[in-house]
Amino acid sequence: MVKINDNFTKLPGGYLFPEISRRVKAFMAENPPKPIIRLGIGDVTQPLCPAVIEALHKATDEMAVKETFRGYSDDSCGYDFLRNAIADHDYKSRGVSISAEEICVSDGAKSDCGNIGDIFSVNNVVAVCDPVYPVYVDTNVMAGRAGTLGPDGRWSDLVYLPCTEANGFFPELPNKTPDIIYICSPNNPTGAAATKEQLKVWVDYANEHQSVILYDSAYEAYVTDPSIPRSIYEIPGAETCAIEFRSFSKTAGFTGTRCGYTVIPSALVRGGVMLRSLWTRRQNTKYNGTPYIVQRAAEAVYSPEGQRQTKETIAYYLNNAKVIREGFQKAGITCYGGVNAPYIWAKTPDNMPSWDFFDLLLKKACVVTTPGAGFGPSGEGFIRVTAFGDAEATKEAVARIVDVL
Ligand SMILES: *Cc1c(COP(=O)(O)O)cnc(C)c1O
């Protein structure tokens, strides 16, 4: 008889977003006085930019002609045209030397963050921030690296790195040394963006302990402060300890189109093996490459028009962030983020539990947010508000919130 992977049965049944949707549905059944505005889920709302659409059409036409049709590609890590564009625009232009062969294109950062565990032994101590993007935790539970879930919502074998107001939402070095360290900057959910000095502490630590940092910079395009790094490779020494995950999802609206990439420098060696070679081996075995038309669409993001158009959309979202931040402040709410990130991390008034504040905003303002407690115990006392909504709807939501608080 087949035996299932029991680790899956340890996972609590996706609590956060199903619970939000249950509460919203129940409230809607009571005929709310105003239409609901959703500032909860982290999905973009603006369409793909014209340069990307044009590239998609062109590549689609190529697929219709025998001479330019593409089937399987030779390399599941992507076509040279895209890998070279990434190396030039995202790295070389920032003074970072990452070559095309160190870049592996994929269908997105979620898959890569989740699948990277394949190249590491189950016997590794994993550290995650608290609050955290749930993918890092759940994929390690599935792999058997998390132990058992305690009543406090923490897994017995994970090292938790609290990110709180007190430490500026950036983790301090732990007592127990982890082998694998997840860092997400600009951060989902807190909206905090790490400085070079902050990252340097972890890079030095990882090199000293021969650990590996898994650096998720899905939101790098939202960095507005020129002193904040967009890539961990802007930190000297990162090339021997860090893997970086990036995505076109939040940068260029590819959440439904699917394209991202992972960078593993050749200098990153553990156990005498180049980690890059393990990852390409894994991808060539389990993945057959991102669709040609999607890679052409991603390439178009780097064209002059693509750059201009995607920057406009990012400015649109960042303006929403500003509206939210300033509105909340006006209502007397302390909030963080929303400057170098599309998320605002707002403190609940009078230490109200985050689910209660969520309910209050839902029932009084008809606005959906995300309770911070859903991202981990240290998220209690906060809610996450996204800047990815429609600008008019965002303004309306903020006006309603200011009104009810
Ligand atoms: C949205 C997001 C991603 C991007 O995921 P894709 O699979 O590329 O769409 C990665 N990491 C974090 C923290 C995110 O919020």
Side-chain angles (χ1 to χ4, degrees):
M1 196 179 76
V2 73
K3 289 164 202 70
I4 61 162
N5 179 349
D6 274 328
N7 294 314
F8 280 63
T9 64
K10 296 182 189 169
L11 286 165
Y15 173 68
L16 180 59
F17 290 104
E19 178 60 16
I20 291 174
S21 112
R22 194 190 64 75
R23 291 188 190 210
V24 173
K25 254 194 213 139
F27 177 59
M28 279 171 83
E30 295 168 21
N31 291 318
K34 292 173 194 141
I36 306 262
I37 300 177
R38 292 170 195 272
L39 302 181
I41 293 176
D43 195 0
V44 298
T45 54
Q46 295 296 301
L48 293 171
C49 70
V52 166
I53 293 294
E54 198 183 307
L56 274 172
H57 282 300
K58 189 167 165 265
T60 304
D61 288 340
E62 285 178 49
M63 296 298 271
V65 177
K66 193 175 180 200
E67 285 69 31
T68 50
F69 166 79
R70 311 279 181 129
Y72 290 128
S73 62
D74 298 337
D75 190 333
S76 72
C77 277
Y79 288 100
D80 285 342
F81 63 78
L82 179 56
R83 294 164 83 176
N84 285 324
I86 293 168
D88 286 351
H89 292 271
D90 288 347
Y91 294 102
K92 199 188 273 173
S93 71
R94 295 193 63 85
V96 176
S97 137
I98 291 290
S99 68
E101 63 170 10
E102 295 169 310
I103 295 163
C104 189
V105 174
S106 70
D107 65 350
K110 189 185 202 173
S111 335
D112 288 0
C113 287
N115 293 332
I116 196 74
D118 276 14
I119 71 167
F120 298 109
S121 157
V122 67
N123 301 314
N124 277 300
V125 175
V126 175
V128 293
C129 292
D130 169 27
V132 69
Y133 178 57
V135 173
Y136 315 147
V137 174
D138 290 1
T139 54
N140 278 292
V141 173
M142 292 172 182
R145 284 189 204 97
T148 52
L149 184 60
D152 59 352
R154 292 172 180 235
W155 294 88
S156 57
D157 294 352
L158 297 184
V159 172
Y160 285 89
L161 310 169
C163 294
T164 62
E165 262 181 310
N167 60 25
F169 303 101
F170 189 77
E172 285 147 282
L173 298 177
N175 297 323
K176 182 176 179 186
T177 305
D179 306 301
I180 297 172
I181 301 150
Y182 288 84
I183 296 179
C184 174
S185 179
N187 192 264
N188 176 10
T190 70
T195 64
K196 286 188 181 160
E197 294 70 28
Q198 285 174 321
L199 289 176
K200 179 84 172 103
V201 171
W202 280 96
V203 164
D204 291 346
Y205 180 83
N207 277 322
E208 183 190 335
H209 296 279
Q210 290 289 289
S211 309
V212 170
I213 296 173
L214 302 179
Y215 191 76
D216 184 344
S217 65
Y219 296 97
E220 57 82 23
Y222 291 82
V223 171
T224 51
D225 179 342
S227 72
I228 298 284
R230 288 175 170 230
S231 163
I232 193 155
Y233 304 117
E234 292 179 47
I235 315 304
E239 66 286 353
T240 54
C241 70
I243 294 177
E244 179 160 288
F245 303 95
R246 288 216 180 171
S247 170
F248 293 92
S249 285
K250 317 305 172 9
T251 306
F254 275 55
T255 50
T257 307
R258 312 301 310 138
C259 194
Y261 59 90
T262 288
V263 180
I264 311 184
S266 303
L268 178 45
V269 175
R270 292 292 182 267
V273 179
M274 240 202 257
L275 294 189
R276 179 164 76 75
S277 66
L278 299 185
W279 181 245
T280 44
R281 187 72 175 83
R282 191 253 173 230
Q283 291 298 81
N284 280 321
T285 301
K286 295 194 183 183
Y287 186 63
N288 245 335
T290 307
Y292 171 72
I293 59 174
V294 171
Q295 293 194 51
R296 281 294 184 197
E299 179 193 26
V301 170
Y302 298 107
S303 69
E305 310 79 58
Q307 284 291 289
R308 191 172 45 73
Q309 292 161 359
T310 49
K311 278 189 182 128
E312 259 170 38
T313 306
I314 287 164
Y316 173 96
Y317 293 137
L318 283 171
N319 190 57
N320 285 346
K322 182 166 180 268
V323 168
I324 297 167
R325 222 175 48 239
E326 292 178 354
F328 271 82
Q329 281 161 355
K330 199 165 128 198
I333 299 285
T334 304
C335 52
Y336 300 93
V339 176
N340 296 298
Y343 296 114
I344 287 84
W345 191 236
K347 202 171 173 185
T348 65
D350 308 318
N351 295 315
M352 192 189 286
S354 53
W355 278 105
D356 290 358
F357 193 45
F358 166 88
D359 280 334
L360 185 150
L361 294 178
L362 176 63
K363 294 192 174 153
K364 295 266 178 65
C366 301
V367 174
V368 182
T369 56
T370 313
F375 297 102
S378 297
E380 184 50 278
F382 289 87
I383 56 159
R384 187 192 75 174
V385 188
T386 91
F388 286 130
D390 171 80
E392 285 312 311
T394 301
K395 273 187 200 137
E396 164 74 17
V398 170
R400 288 186 198 170
I401 290 169
V402 172
D403 234 29
V404 301
L405 289 180

